Amino acid sequence: MKLTLPPRVSPQSFDAALKAFAGVVGAGWVMSSDADRDAYADAYAPGSAERWPASAAVAPASVEEVRAIVRIANEYKVPLWPVARGKNLGYGTAAPRMAGSVVLDMGRMNRILELDPKLAYAVVEPGVGFFDLHDEVERQKAPLWLSVPGNGWGSVIGNALEHGIGYTPYGLHARNLCGIEAVLPDGDLLRTGMGAMKDNPAWHLFPMNYGPTWDLAFSQSNLGVVTKAGLWMQPAPETSLELTWDIPNEEDIGWVIDTVTPLKIAGVIDQNVFIPSWLGKIVVLGTRKDFWDKPTAMPEWRVKELLKQYQLGYWRVSIRLYGDESVNKAKAEVIKAAFKRHLSAPAMESWWRQGDPKPPLDLALGTPSAVPLQMSDWVGGRGAHLGFSPVVPATGEHVMGQLKRSRKIIADHDVDFYASFTIGGRFANNVNMLMYDRDNAAQVDNMKKLFNALISETAKAGYGEYRTHLGWMDRVMDTFDFNDHALRRFGEKVKDALDPNGIIAPGKQGIWPAAYRALQKEGAE
């Protein structure tokens, strides 16, 4: 990928900045060749990866190196785009929102600084991945479990900061963060919570602090660079029982939601309950051409044939209970009775007890996996996906309304319907996986139109996305329109106060610093 300079930075100043960066991290950790820029491009880009080009990347190994890089960036007015491991597939991976930004690659900062089995927390740097932390827990034989997302090859901190979701009782990953260290846009260093007091042992234990609490101000934000964080973990339970139902019909999702939500709110169910549609099971059995070899969306008659052939329901509900065996049995009876009011088929039951091996593909047991990456092979070619992810109240009425709305829009664009709902309590995340071949221009163009239609029509109904791809960050922020977009205006005020040079991640989540606000339409879909 050819060089795209940062806005308002001359070639001479850019070269001087890279030389200064090299003086901090070593020449080998400043990456500025065409091949390097390719490596930091969006691997799933809908269209040309050059839409969001990095100019270079720099990889620090310590918090002091991060501070030095941020100060140099201010001196030369070179914008930085921090990434933990750059594995945010479907949302932009490591590519920057603003063309020409230098990627601040935190992958070398990969230490597990603390693992406390008694109080069930870890302290990790951004480069620590789910597999890394899982392996360390296993090595120490610590009685702790992780909460992992669908694809576990990314960063533990990075996923939490991007509001990632898992499927255990600790599945709201941002909520598990407790005590953050961050480099501010001027190079200053901040510790949030009790960590604001030197050597306070409650830093990663108490989720607030004296005065305003800032931990989540660094999630999906461009107010600083997180260099370490505390992470609450799940104590390993004595037993775990999984109850699974195949739900036969598409419209059944309404009563499923109205059955699960009260049990979740009441504490009978602890975990985030993941409810995938049928395609979530078919994608691991083959590619699209194995089941439907025409370019049109798979018709309903063919879907019904596949469900019958593979003995699948339209939806699958798996509820996992954790803890004392007698308590799990009692909770299971309550849950089974609630489902029996709507479905005569009994639940499939599967027990895990301490000492048993964990099934490798069971995310609800906290084992990271990369198997879900197979879904990108579904369409063939250079497969990729976008995720359209609105949040709706966890009631059958709201879920059915959103399902019908997105279902129609996706059908109107002749795309296979692949949806899931994750019940996190009082809300449900509705993730619609939109898969395409990056080399098929017609598919890419159709996908962009589809994505725009989903955003606008869903916003008209009163719902918004909780995360999105680089190219749609501004469009999604536009949908949060209360009081003349007060949320964006507030973010801009804070950004301009803390980062007058606009150094850290300009444009992230639609928050642009004054220095670059005129560029917000560039790179937007």
Side-chain angles (χ1 to χ4, degrees), residues 466-515:
Y466 79 102
R467 64 195 295 196
T468 199
H469 184 274
L470 293 169
W472 284 270
M473 285 181 173
D474 295 275
R475 187 181 291 266
V476 170
M477 180 56 84
D478 283 343
T479 67
F480 291 88
D481 56 1
F482 170 75
N483 189 23
D484 190 26
H485 302 90
L487 178 67
R488 179 169 56 200
R489 291 188 289 108
F490 178 76
E492 290 172 347
K493 290 174 184 176
V494 176
K495 178 66 174 171
D496 290 344
L498 293 180
D499 191 4
N501 291 324
I503 293 302
I504 305 297
K508 182 165 177 57
Q509 256 59 40
I511 302 298
W512 290 85

Side-chain angles (χ1 to χ4, degrees), residues 426-502:
R426 295 164 177 84
F427 69 91
N429 292 82
N430 171 216
V431 178
N432 299 269
M433 300 308 300
L434 308 170
M435 295 172 284
Y436 56 94
D437 178 357
R438 282 193 58 201
D439 294 324
N440 187 318
Q443 280 189 24
V444 171
D445 184 61
N446 185 49
M447 200 57 61
K448 291 180 181 180
K449 293 175 181 175
L450 168 57
F451 208 79
N452 287 335
L454 286 168
I455 291 171
S456 61
E457 293 304 310
T458 301
K460 288 177 185 177
Y463 310 114
E465 278 200 281
Y466 79 102
R467 64 195 295 196
T468 199
H469 184 274
L470 293 169
W472 284 270
M473 285 181 173
D474 295 275
R475 187 181 291 266
V476 170
M477 180 56 84
D478 283 343
T479 67
F480 291 88
D481 56 1
F482 170 75
N483 189 23
D484 190 26
H485 302 90
L487 178 67
R488 179 169 56 200
R489 291 188 289 108
F490 178 76
E492 290 172 347
K493 290 174 184 176
V494 176
K495 178 66 174 171
D496 290 344
L498 293 180
D499 191 4
N501 291 324

Side-chain angles (χ1 to χ4, degrees), residues 102 398 489:
V102 172
H398 284 278
R489 291 188 289 108

Side-chain angles (χ1 to χ4, degrees), residues 140-151:
Q140 292 193 26
K141 296 182 171 56
L144 300 172
W145 281 12
L146 282 69
S147 174
V148 298
N151 174 25

Side-chain angles (χ1 to χ4, degrees), residues 11 22 24 29 36 44 85 96 98 130 159 175 250 275 298 316 355 371 377 381 403 431 446 499 516 521:
V24 173
W29 296 109
D36 291 329
Y44 280 11
R85 288 166 62 91
M98 189 175 77
F130 287 95
N159 181 268
R175 187 180 288 176
E250 181 180 1
I275 307 173
M298 196 177 297
R316 172 165 286 186
V371 169
D377 295 330
L403 173 65
V431 178
N446 185 49
D499 191 4
Y516 301 113
K521 292 185 178 179

Side-chain angles (χ1 to χ4, degrees), residues 4 8 12 69 84 90 154 188 202 206 209 231 239 262 267 275 308 348 350 381 410 426 455 480 496 519:
T4 299
R8 302 198 311 255
Q12 294 78 16
I69 289 167
D188 202 1
F206 183 62
N209 58 259
L231 180 83
T239 70
I275 307 173
K308 183 177 180 180
M348 295 177 283
S350 175
I410 291 170
R426 295 164 177 84
I455 291 171
F480 291 88
D496 290 344
L519 302 178

Side-chain angles (χ1 to χ4, degrees), residues 147-180:
S147 174
V148 298
N151 174 25
W153 77 336
S155 158
V156 174
I157 287 182
N159 181 268
L161 293 176
E162 288 297 325
H163 302 169
I165 288 178
Y167 311 105
T168 73
Y170 285 68
L172 296 181
H173 294 166
R175 187 180 288 176
N176 299 334
L177 295 174
C178 185
I180 281 175

